[in-house]
Amino acid sequence: MDDQQQMDEKTLKQLQRMAYWMDDRFSIPGTGWRVGLDGLIGLIPGIGDVATGLLSGYIIYQAKTIGIPRRILAKMVGNTVLDTVFGSVPLVGDLFDVGWKVNKKNVALL
């Protein structure tokens, strides 16, 4: 295994861990639902969804760094824009954030 491949695998594991924290870290008692920091930070009016959009953008940046094809990057950007726009709608957007799980979707594309 060459150095680039080892770095790519290490980066992928870090991004998987980030996606877990952002989308699935906490369980909601009495339900089968899981929520992460994306759903919680998104509750902060005004800045929450922008902040989580930037964090999601980090996954896209890393994907570009490891050489993911443009077609996949474009899908990842579309997922993140959709999450940020719909997530900014009060209350309904917060539920969307919990269900959409953009970070898991984008890491799965890798």
Side-chain angles (χ1 to χ4, degrees), residues 74-89:
K75 184 157 179 74
M76 293 171 76
V77 168
N79 286 342
T80 302
V81 167
L82 185 70
D83 180 66
T84 302
V85 170
F86 283 114
S88 66
V89 177

Side-chain angles (χ1 to χ4, degrees), residues 41-92:
I41 295 170
L43 292 171
I44 302 169
I47 194 160
D49 291 300
V50 172
T52 58
L54 291 172
L55 289 169
S56 296
Y58 176 76
I59 293 173
I60 297 168
Y61 169 77
Q62 288 297 323
K64 184 176 181 345
T65 300
I66 62 176
I68 296 302
R70 285 182 182 215
R71 179 179 59 81
I72 302 295
L73 287 172
K75 184 157 179 74
M76 293 171 76
V77 168
N79 286 342
T80 302
V81 167
L82 185 70
D83 180 66
T84 302
V85 170
F86 283 114
S88 66
V89 177
L91 298 178
V92 174

Side-chain angles (χ1 to χ4, degrees), residues 15-49:
L15 295 177
Q16 288 170 331
R17 191 174 20 238
M18 179 182 170
Y20 169 75
W21 274 88
M22 291 298 291
D23 292 338
D24 276 339
R25 174 59 183 94
F26 309 101
S27 63
I28 300 173
T31 71
W33 296 4
R34 299 192 64 81
V35 65
L37 295 174
D38 188 359
L40 298 175
I41 295 170
L43 292 171
I44 302 169
I47 194 160
D49 291 300

